[in-house]
Amino acid sequence: PEPMPVDPRHQRPAIGQPQPRVVAGPARHVAPAAQNLVVEQQTPELDQLRTELAAARGAWNEAVRQSQAAVKREQALQVDEPAVWPLPALQALGHVQLLAKSPRAALDAFQRDLANHPANAYSLAGSAEAQRRLGDAALAEQSLAQARAAWSHADVPLPVP
């Protein structure tokens, strides 16, 4: 069988390739699924990659700054199913802030993610680690218990930061 033709509006250039500039009228004239493709550099993948690279070098301020940019880009995306970018930027921000030895800021990032995604095991486990580092062992144990409960039917062990 011949391959199905792909609508060029849904193709994305490879990372590092020039992004097409699409001039559109008001957003109400653009189908919701296409809104995330209209604005150049609207998705957070490059910011998250830069976060990982900075963290690998131990450049924590740069890593946090890049991760915060990824959060802003992710929040600007229109709701789309399946998600345009499946890696939650707030969880990544919380993780890099733990690595940067900023547990209070990490806890804030994980709590913000939990406001949008209640009972998310990754954010609960991250919250537990931040709470432990802040010296609140009882609250950390409670958050970790919630994470384990949310993860109880998973096929793999709960990844704890």
Side-chain angles (χ1 to χ4, degrees):
E2 288 187 37
M4 258 175 107
V6 177
D7 184 338
R9 293 175 299 164
H10 297 286
Q11 290 181 332
R12 302 185 68 191
I15 292 176
Q17 296 298 312
Q19 302 283 324
R21 290 197 175 266
V22 178
V23 179
R28 68 180 183 275
H29 297 297
V30 179
Q35 286 181 2
N36 290 328
L37 303 176
V38 171
V39 179
E40 180 179 339
Q41 298 179 353
Q42 190 175 10
T43 55
E45 63 262 19
L46 287 177
D47 295 315
Q48 286 193 337
L49 177 60
R50 289 180 184 122
T51 297
E52 294 293 325
L53 293 172
R57 292 191 318 270
W60 302 118
N61 289 337
E62 181 185 347
V64 168
R65 186 174 44 79
Q66 291 294 337
S67 193
Q68 288 168 335
V71 168
K72 285 182 183 176
R73 290 188 201 284
E74 181 182 74
Q75 290 171 343
L77 293 173
Q78 299 293 319
V79 175
D80 211 354
E81 290 295 330
V84 172
W85 186 247
L87 303 175
L90 280 168
Q91 289 175 13
L93 175 60
H95 180 71
V96 79
Q97 287 173 322
L98 283 175
L99 293 172
K101 298 183 178 11
S102 299
R104 192 163 309 284
L107 180 60
D108 178 63
F110 290 124
Q111 295 297 315
R112 286 170 46 204
D113 188 62
L114 286 166
N116 296 326
H117 308 285
N120 180 284
Y122 290 106
S123 290
L124 286 166
S127 292
E129 180 60 21
Q131 291 159 339
R132 185 189 66 76
R133 292 183 188 189
L134 289 168
D136 195 341
L139 195 53
E141 190 54 43
Q142 181 182 8
S143 293
L144 191 54
Q146 290 174 337
R148 287 183 178 131
W151 199 260
S152 64
H153 299 290
D155 295 333
V156 295
L158 174 66
V160 180

